């Protein structure tokens, strides 16, 4: 059974304090790993897709990386507007995505 | 930009009522999905559809049904709403091996 575990559950940072979020996964035949951002009361917003180990994607202060067992979302010099819940999901052999429970990030000014 | 719209942002229904949640997408995607999201449980797949009039059960289909008569429209039906169906309902659309795009969600309260 495909599984995704995200850590930590919650993370508090000061503005400018860089850190990383972790997404560990087990899947039979990875077809894609996806990162989403979700603001309170809203639907998840797509950020990145990673397809193979070694791949990296960047968007503003965010950088996602992928190994054979985990993905990291690196946040460089975060700002308060980066506060959100970040979700990781994997797609294995079916059309379904399996989501982790998310990391709630709070960036204090 | 992909646009996924859901019929209501907030909905309050009584126990036993039949509830319809509608989702419309403008990207001509084959696949559409219904999830519910609850604190501590994350996103759970209820049903998905990979073509018109086709549907597949997700992880938690009990108490729900779906309808897809047109490619752009996917409806979730609660035949007899119960209080344990109080949740945030999210519709998504996408293609196989590509990202899914989510709607804004419907916060359903069943009293």
């Amino acid at each position: 059974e495909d599984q995704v575990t995200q850590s930590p559950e919650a993370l508090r940072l000061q503005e400018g304090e860089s850190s990383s979020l972790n997404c560990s996964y087990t899947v039979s035949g990875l077809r894609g790993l996806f990162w989403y951002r979700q603001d309170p009361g809203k639907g998840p917003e797509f950020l990145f897709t990673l397809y193979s180990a070694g791949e990296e994607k960047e968007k503003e202060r965010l950088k996602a990386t992928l190994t054979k067992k985990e993905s990291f979302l690196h946040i460089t010099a975060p700002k308060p507007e980066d506060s959100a819940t970040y979700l990781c999901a994997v797609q294995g052999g079916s059309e379904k995505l399996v989501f982790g429970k998310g990391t709630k990030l709070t960036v204090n000014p | 930009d992909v646009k996924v719209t859901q019929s209501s942002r907030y909905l309050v229904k009584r126990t036993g009522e039949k509830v319809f949640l509608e989702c419309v997408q403008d990207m001509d995607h084959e696949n559409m999905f219904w999830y519910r999201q609850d604190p501590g449980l994350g996103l759970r797949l209820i049903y998905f559809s990979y073509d018109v009039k086709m549907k597949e059960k997700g992880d938690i289909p009990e108490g729900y049904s779906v309808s897809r008569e047109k490619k752009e429209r996917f409806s979730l039906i609660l035949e007899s709403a119960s209080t344990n169906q109080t949740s945030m309902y999210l519709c998504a659309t996408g293609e196989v091996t590509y990202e899914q795009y989510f709607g804004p969600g419907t916060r359903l309260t069943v009293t």
Side-chain angles (χ1 to χ4, degrees):
Chain A
E1 185 180 329
D2 300 345
Q3 285 191 323
V4 176
T5 303
Q6 291 188 247
S7 61
E9 290 185 16
L11 181 64
R12 284 187 175 273
L13 299 173
Q14 288 298 124
E15 185 171 1
E17 180 187 1
S18 301
S19 189
S20 296
L21 313 183
N22 177 264
C23 171
S24 298
Y25 65 91
T26 54
V27 64
S28 53
L30 179 71
R31 297 167 88 176
L33 184 141
F34 308 89
W35 281 99
Y36 289 85
R37 170 194 169 122
Q38 186 174 25
D39 293 304
K42 297 187 177 181
E45 174 190 346
F46 169 74
L47 291 172
F48 303 110
T49 306
L50 301 166
Y51 292 107
S52 57
E55 191 174 358
E56 298 182 352
K57 293 274 180 75
E58 283 189 71
K59 181 179 181 180
E60 295 180 355
R61 294 176 292 281
L62 300 176
K63 179 180 176 180
T65 61
L66 181 65
T67 71
K68 288 186 178 179
K69 292 185 178 182
E70 57 192 348
S71 176
F72 293 94
L73 185 65
H74 307 278
I75 303 175
T76 302
K79 297 182 178 182
E81 53 261 43
D82 294 322
S83 297
T85 295
Y86 290 86
L87 300 172
C88 171
V90 296
Q91 184 178 37
S94 76
E95 290 82 2
K96 299 191 293 184
L97 295 188
V98 176
F99 282 85
K101 294 182 179 180
T103 294
K104 183 177 181 181
L105 174 67
T106 304
V107 181
N108 296 315
Chain B
D1 280 353
V2 176
K3 191 167 184 183
V4 182
T5 56
Q6 294 185 229
S7 48
S8 305
R9 290 301 310 275
Y10 300 94
L11 208 53
V12 179
K13 295 292 182 180
R14 292 195 179 272
T15 302
E17 279 193 79
K18 191 169 186 176
V19 181
F20 293 86
L21 303 181
E22 194 167 73
C23 175
V24 179
Q25 54 112 346
D26 69 351
M27 281 302 292
D28 202 35
H29 284 159
E30 298 290 340
N31 297 343
M32 296 187 75
F33 307 82
W34 275 108
Y35 295 87
R36 64 177 283 177
Q37 188 175 33
D38 302 286
L41 296 177
L43 276 160
R44 293 181 291 167
L45 182 64
I46 305 171
Y47 268 97
F48 68 102
S49 167
Y50 51 88
D51 201 352
V52 176
K53 297 191 186 290
M54 305 299 286
K55 59 186 179 184
E56 291 281 343
K57 292 180 180 179
D59 300 316
I60 51 164
E62 297 78 19
Y64 303 94
S65 63
V66 290
S67 172
R68 193 167 181 201
E69 297 295 321
K70 293 185 178 182
K71 190 175 185 179
E72 68 271 18
R73 197 177 296 265
F74 191 35
S75 300
L76 180 70
I77 303 156
L78 287 66
E79 295 289 343
S80 178
S82 64
T83 55
N84 63 12
Q85 292 178 311
T86 291
S87 186
M88 169 73 103
Y89 289 88
L90 290 159
C91 173
T93 179
E95 303 285 19
V96 176
T97 74
Y98 292 97
E99 56 271 13
Q100 292 181 13
Y101 293 92
F102 285 82
T106 296
R107 173 76 64 184
L108 173 66
T109 302
V110 183
T111 62

